[in-house]
């Protein structure tokens, strides 16, 4: 069975649900690949996979989709930063700051940059890195501020000197979606996995 998943979804949300599924079904194997959301939905439409987990920002036309997890975005700053005392902020409050971002065509980075452009601004990136943990590490060192999923920020804050600030922008609250072509057309093993993902706490 093939499944595609966004990298942040794999790290923060899928491991526990997938491991419990595999423990319950020792005869089932899963071929799991990390891909960008738009690549996952194209693979599903082309019948190259069974199940995908993607951001709700991607076009899901022609697929059945189900909410898997909420994925809140937060601002991360060094603990000593002037913004660190704030509990909430909007993107417009920080567009003049230097940022740490992600490399390549990251859907998260594209989302943040898109909304900065809607404010008539272009964010200044001091550095772009490959992983969300690296964003938090650079922020801890005072290189800039960053925007990451809340689950990533909470985990990194346990070992890094960073502060988390809730974003008030509507676009900062996203859903991770489980998607398939047609639920009833899935192979039996994939139907079992889909049911498990939707029922997992």
């Amino acid at each position: 069975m093939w499944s595609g998943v966004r990298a942040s979804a794999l790290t923060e949300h899928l491991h526990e649900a997938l491991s419990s599924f595999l423990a319950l079904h020792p005869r089932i194997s899963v071929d799991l690949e990390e891909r960008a959301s738009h690549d996952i939905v194209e693979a599903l439409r082309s019948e190259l996979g069974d199940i995908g987990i993607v951001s709700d920002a991607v076009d899901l036309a022609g697929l059945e989709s189900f909410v898997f997890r909420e994925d809140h975005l937060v601002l991360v700053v060094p603990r000593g930063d002037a913004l660190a005392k704030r509990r909430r902020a909007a993107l417009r409050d920080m567009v003049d700051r230097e940022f740490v971002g992600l490399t390549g065509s990251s859907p998260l980075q594209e989302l943040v940059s898109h909304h900065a452009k809607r404010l008539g601004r272009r964010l200044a990136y001091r550095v772009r890195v490959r992983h969300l943990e690296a964003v938090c590490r650079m922020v801890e060192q005072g290189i800039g501020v960053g925007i990451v999923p809340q689950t990533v920020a909470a985990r990194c804050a346990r070992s890094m000197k960073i502060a988390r600030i809730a974003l008030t922008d509507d676009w900062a609250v996203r859903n991770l979606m489980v998607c398939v072509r047609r639920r009833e057309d899935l192979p039996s093993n994939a139907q079992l996995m889909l049911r498990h993902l939707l029922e997992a706490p």
Side-chain angles (χ1 to χ4, degrees):
M1 173 176 31
W2 181 94
S3 296
V5 61
R6 290 179 53 220
S8 62
L10 176 64
T11 303
E12 304 303 325
H13 300 286
L14 185 59
H15 276 155
E16 188 171 343
L18 181 59
S19 62
S20 61
F21 172 77
L22 293 172
L24 285 170
H25 304 281
R27 294 179 177 271
I28 296 177
S29 297
V30 176
D31 183 9
L32 186 68
E33 294 183 20
E34 294 183 39
R35 297 188 183 185
S37 290
H38 62 273
D39 290 335
I40 294 170
V41 296
E42 286 307 313
L44 292 175
R45 290 181 182 128
S46 302
E47 301 186 12
L48 299 176
D50 298 314
I51 299 173
I53 298 179
V54 300
S55 164
D56 63 359
V58 72
D59 180 9
L60 296 171
L63 300 174
E64 291 185 29
S65 59
F66 313 88
V67 175
F68 177 54
R69 296 285 188 273
E70 280 195 347
D71 188 36
H72 295 253
L73 297 176
V74 299
L75 177 72
V76 288
V77 301
R79 282 189 191 162
D81 191 277
L83 284 174
K85 297 178 182 178
R86 297 183 61 169
R87 297 185 62 159
R88 301 165 68 81
L91 181 62
R92 66 176 175 273
D93 300 327
M94 65 200 77
V95 289
D96 292 326
R97 299 291 300 267
E98 291 182 320
F99 272 74
V100 178
L102 293 168
T103 56
S105 58
S106 160
L108 170 57
Q109 209 58 65
E110 289 177 356
L111 177 70
V112 175
S113 297
H114 168 74
H115 285 284
K117 288 178 183 176
R118 292 187 64 184
L119 295 171
R121 304 300 294 272
R122 184 173 180 175
L123 299 182
Y125 291 100
R126 285 203 67 199
V127 65
R128 292 178 185 254
V129 293
R130 294 189 61 185
H131 304 291
L132 293 165
E133 292 81 1
V135 171
C136 292
R137 185 65 69 191
M138 288 286 185
V139 168
E140 180 188 32
Q141 298 301 316
I143 306 304
V145 301
I147 293 176
V148 301
Q150 179 180 346
T151 48
V152 174
R155 175 168 48 79
C156 290
R158 292 196 288 269
S159 61
M160 301 180 196
K161 295 178 180 178
I162 58 173
R164 296 161 282 161
I165 302 165
L167 287 171
T168 58
D169 303 271
D170 290 343
W171 54 265
V173 179
R174 310 176 300 168
N175 286 315
L176 293 177
M177 310 297 293
V178 178
C179 52
V180 298
R181 284 184 306 282
R182 281 168 49 90
R183 186 172 188 166
E184 58 267 31
D185 293 342
L186 287 174
S188 59
N189 288 348
Q191 290 193 24
L192 284 172
M193 182 175 172
L194 176 62
R195 189 177 309 119
H196 185 85
L197 291 176
L198 298 180
E199 293 173 357

